[in-house]
Amino acid sequence: MATLTVTYPAGRARRTLGATLSLYAKETKYEFLKLIRTSVFSLSVIGLPVMFYGMFGLSNRGNTMDGMYTAKYLLGGYCCFGMVGAALFGIGVGLASERAQGWLELKRSSPMPAMAYLLAKCITAQAFGLIIVSVLALLAIAFGGVHLSPIEFAKMLGLALAGVLPFAAMGLLIALLVPANAASGVVNLIYLPMSFLSGLWIPIQFLPKYLKPIAPYLPAFHLSQLMETVFGYQRRDSVALNHWAGLAGFTLLMLGISWAVFHRAEQDA
């Protein structure tokens, strides 16, 4: 009886640095192409913040609230809203679906480094974050009467790269804990209330008094405060270092819990 023999490429120890970087780049490229071509994902993740900003940001052109130019304040808020959505849906929902389909097990059984798979998803979420910030900034400048200096725009892009990471870690934990058929619903239950309570849609000071104390415990609040710092709209008691520390601590917490969940699942398997 004939026997099928599968020969894998050289192991990780023999892979050159150039080959490793090429592998990471290809995995990232195809992950991005997969999501950008998935119209349900790309149109909703990019289109939702654009639609909301068009409805509430551009319609408030020339208005101010609490000393802030409304269209510019909402630009920062909806940029953060888009970044969070790109990470939670791209990683939380996407990874949960692939895990249920067995795609994750196939990837793990291949010679590809496990980090290439996760890093590709994270970089793709960052790429969508950059697209969202760029599109919203162009809309704000063209139709909202918003002025952005090159330094402000560069800081917004830099914050998009860093700000996606805590929510990518949250998405990873959701994917490990939540069944694929419930992941989208769970993400929405977290994403929408967190966005509202974090001041992404309206300033914190305009929230009901009993809801205001919740904001400092939410990662999206710290992200929004850093974005408003770019515009000089941060709260008087806001310190950028505290917000960076809040996001870093949240990221480490999510990664730590994810590692514990994954390690326990490996032991039970």
Side-chain angles (χ1 to χ4, degrees):
M1 181 177 179
T3 303
L4 176 63
T5 303
V6 178
T7 304
Y8 289 108
R12 297 176 192 173
R14 297 182 181 180
R15 189 180 293 123
T16 64
L17 177 61
T20 300
L21 293 177
S22 177
L23 189 153
Y24 275 70
K26 287 181 179 179
E27 183 70 18
T28 302
K29 171 187 174 182
Y30 292 120
E31 177 67 22
F32 177 78
L33 289 175
K34 179 189 73 175
L35 291 183
I36 203 71
R37 291 172 178 173
T38 306
S39 56
V40 174
F41 175 84
S42 57
L43 290 178
S44 60
V45 166
I46 299 173
L48 199 59
V50 170
M51 180 186 70
F52 281 158
Y53 185 67
M55 292 170 59
F56 303 113
L58 300 183
S59 62
N60 279 290
R61 175 175 179 162
N63 296 335
T64 60
M65 54 181 180
D66 201 24
M68 300 178 291
Y69 187 58
T70 304
K72 194 169 187 178
Y73 174 87
L74 292 177
L75 169 63
Y78 284 114
C79 281
C80 295
F81 178 69
M83 289 182 239
V84 175
L88 291 184
F89 284 100
I91 297 177
V93 178
L95 185 56
S97 177
E98 291 177 4
R99 182 170 64 90
Q101 294 169 359
W103 187 246
L104 184 57
E105 290 298 320
L106 179 63
K107 289 278 189 179
R108 289 178 59 200
S109 65
S110 72
M112 183 189 74
M115 280 304 298
Y117 176 72
L118 295 175
L119 190 62
K121 289 191 173 296
C122 186
I123 294 175
T124 297
Q126 289 177 313
F128 273 92
L130 293 176
I131 292 171
I132 291 165
V133 169
S134 299
V135 171
L136 289 176
L138 288 174
L139 281 176
I141 293 169
F143 304 107
V146 173
H147 172 73
L148 285 177
S149 69
I151 293 178
E152 285 179 326
F153 183 61
K155 287 182 177 180
M156 290 174 69
L157 294 178
L159 187 57
L161 292 175
V164 164
L165 299 179
F167 303 97
M170 178 191 281
L172 174 61
L173 180 59
I174 291 172
L176 291 174
L177 291 176
V178 179
N181 58 359
S184 182
V186 170
V187 165
N188 275 312
L189 286 174
I190 295 171
Y191 177 42
L192 298 179
M194 180 174 65
S195 298
F196 174 73
L197 294 172
S198 298
L200 303 189
W201 300 342
I202 59 173
I204 295 294
Q205 54 267 36
F206 295 150
L207 290 177
K209 186 176 181 180
Y210 64 93
L211 293 178
K212 292 179 183 179
I214 300 174
Y217 299 98
L218 302 174
F221 166 77
H222 297 290
L223 179 62
S224 70
Q225 289 301 296
L226 289 171
M227 183 64 79
E228 301 311 326
T229 300
V230 173
F231 305 145
Y233 288 165
Q234 69 274 21
R235 301 191 315 170
R236 292 178 182 178
D237 61 345
S238 179
V239 179
L241 185 60
N242 292 340
H243 297 305
W244 283 116
L247 288 177
F250 178 79
T251 304
L252 293 175
L253 177 64
M254 293 293 101
L255 291 176
I257 298 175
S258 296
W259 179 86
V261 170
F262 182 78
H263 184 65
R264 181 169 182 176
E266 287 284 282
Q267 289 182 329
D268 294 341

